[in-house]
Amino acid sequence: MHKPDHVIEIFLQPGDFYFGDKDTRIRTLLGSCVSIICWHPIKRIGGMCHYMLPSRGERRGEELDGKYADEAMEMFLREIRAANTKPSEYQVKIFGAGNMFPLGGNGECQRCTPASAYQKESGKCPKVPCRNRETAYHLVQKHGFMLQAEHLGGKGHRQLLFDIWSGDAWMRHVSSSTPLMPLKEVA
């Protein structure tokens, strides 16, 4: 699909959320935070969140706050209902949960694996990247989304770009040991 003539460019800061139509490109920069991308391939609508923590728990306010995964997911569900669509109709991609302060090794937590994250509702590991990754898997599965692609964990940060007109996501993963590389299509 070709790029529309007039594109709205949105840059998400930590805690931001955006849902829009086919004339939109969304960008963000991730460290230990996670972005969930939802895209409806027929309606060509979708959005991205940039959450920082799994939940604020008991201190939750009346307004939703995109800093927290569970509340960002509620923002997605509101938009999905408003568009008269269902979560199962969306393709989902998740990115982030990088270890920004590795002490050696490959940056992965030795206690947590992506496979074990599917089994947990809330993370047992106290590390923010692990808890964020586990929460993303849990929320995607809980609400019946179709997980299409993921790039989580490891060392360093990620630059992420999402074109709503095509559903393409582009990512650059920069660890302390890898040189800069061109953006890479994920799916």
Side-chain angles (χ1 to χ4, degrees):
M1 291 177 216
H2 69 280
K3 183 178 176 181
D5 293 335
H6 303 287
V7 174
I8 300 168
E9 299 245 359
I10 304 292
F11 184 83
L12 296 186
Q13 297 288 340
D16 285 349
F17 172 87
Y18 189 86
F19 195 94
D21 65 15
K22 61 181 176 44
D23 296 326
T24 309
R25 169 178 279 166
I26 309 173
R27 299 173 185 266
T28 197
L29 180 63
L30 300 167
S32 60
C33 297
V34 167
S35 277
I36 298 175
I37 291 173
C38 292
W39 185 65
H40 195 287
I42 296 170
K43 294 192 171 216
R44 293 195 292 157
I45 57 175
M48 179 192 295
C49 69
H50 179 150
Y51 72 81
M52 302 165 67
L53 295 168
S55 176
R56 63 176 146 170
E58 302 290 323
R59 297 177 297 147
R60 187 172 177 159
E62 291 187 19
E63 288 194 31
L64 296 176
D65 189 338
K67 293 177 188 166
Y68 306 99
D70 55 346
E71 296 179 45
M73 182 56 70
E74 286 187 42
M75 293 175 179
F76 272 121
L77 296 173
R78 281 185 181 178
E79 295 291 340
I80 288 167
R81 282 191 296 269
N84 292 318
T85 55
K86 299 175 185 170
S88 61
E89 299 169 354
Y90 284 78
Q91 297 175 0
V92 169
K93 300 171 185 175
I94 50 179
F95 302 89
N99 185 348
M100 301 304 294
F101 308 103
L103 297 176
N106 62 4
E108 295 294 333
C109 178
Q110 300 306 309
R111 294 171 46 184
C112 302
T113 64
S116 70
Y118 281 107
Q119 311 298 318
K120 302 174 188 174
E121 182 170 338
S122 61
K124 302 288 184 209
C125 183
K127 296 179 180 177
V128 170
C130 295
R131 292 174 48 218
N132 279 341
R133 178 177 61 196
E134 291 167 5
T135 301
Y137 286 131
H138 172 73
L139 290 172
V140 166
Q141 187 177 41
K142 176 182 174 182
H143 294 288
F145 287 101
M146 180 176 18
L147 182 60
Q148 186 180 44
E150 62 184 276
H151 195 275
L152 296 161
K155 296 178 192 175
H157 69 275
R158 292 168 174 85
Q159 295 175 343
L160 183 61
L161 186 151
F162 170 46
D163 295 330
I164 296 180
W165 61 85
S166 65
D168 290 334
W170 306 81
M171 186 213 51
R172 181 183 349 206
H173 183 203
V174 181
S175 72
S176 58
S177 61
T178 56
L180 287 176
M181 299 176 65
L183 289 174
K184 176 181 164 187
E185 184 176 5
V186 174

